[in-house]
Amino acid sequence: MKFLLFTALITLTIIALLIMILNLTSKKTFSDREKSSPFECGFDPKSTTRLPFSIQFFLIAIIFLIFDVEITLLFPIIISLNFSNIMMYSMVTSIFIIILIIGLAHEWKQGALNWSL
């Protein structure tokens, strides 16, 4: 117990020491409006530097991520077929896929899948 406490104390001391050294030796940058603005031959830029962001693309990307994670949850169900009976496997898989289809139908009904400009 004392050895574990001693090891934790040494580890925390080393971490604190490294953080202090990093803060002392790190490069400090002070940015102002002139240095952070884009440079166009010495003139102010004629247009904004940020492009407009499409909310439709963001929603489609989030829906894709959600359904992608749901697909990865199907893999353990496939592996569990070896350890469970076919009736229980069919019921769990059917309920899971029905929940996914209901979610997709809800997104479709809400209009989140329409790519309108």
Side-chain angles (χ1 to χ4, degrees), residues 68-81 89 96:
D68 194 40
V69 168
E70 299 296 331
I71 295 287
T72 59
L73 291 176
L74 283 174
F75 289 130
I77 293 176
I78 294 170
I79 294 172
S80 72
L81 178 61
Y89 175 78
F96 190 78

Side-chain angles (χ1 to χ4, degrees), residues 18-96:
L18 288 175
I19 288 173
M20 286 182 356
I21 291 172
L22 178 70
N23 284 334
L24 291 175
T25 61
S26 65
K27 181 181 175 185
K28 306 286 192 278
T29 58
F30 299 104
S31 62
D32 58 356
R33 184 177 172 269
E34 294 295 324
K35 288 185 179 180
S36 62
S37 67
F39 181 71
E40 290 185 8
C41 301
F43 299 106
D44 288 331
K46 297 198 183 290
S47 64
T48 62
T49 57
R50 294 184 182 257
L51 298 174
F53 186 73
S54 172
I55 282 294
Q56 288 89 9
F57 175 76
F58 180 72
L59 288 175
I60 294 291
I62 293 297
I63 291 169
F64 171 76
L65 285 175
I66 290 171
F67 283 105
D68 194 40
V69 168
E70 299 296 331
I71 295 287
T72 59
L73 291 176
L74 283 174
F75 289 130
I77 293 176
I78 294 170
I79 294 172
S80 72
L81 178 61
N82 296 333
F83 306 111
S84 64
N85 60 11
I86 192 72
M87 213 46 199
M88 187 63 129
Y89 175 78
S90 299
M91 188 173 68
V92 168
T93 306
S94 299
I95 290 172
F96 190 78

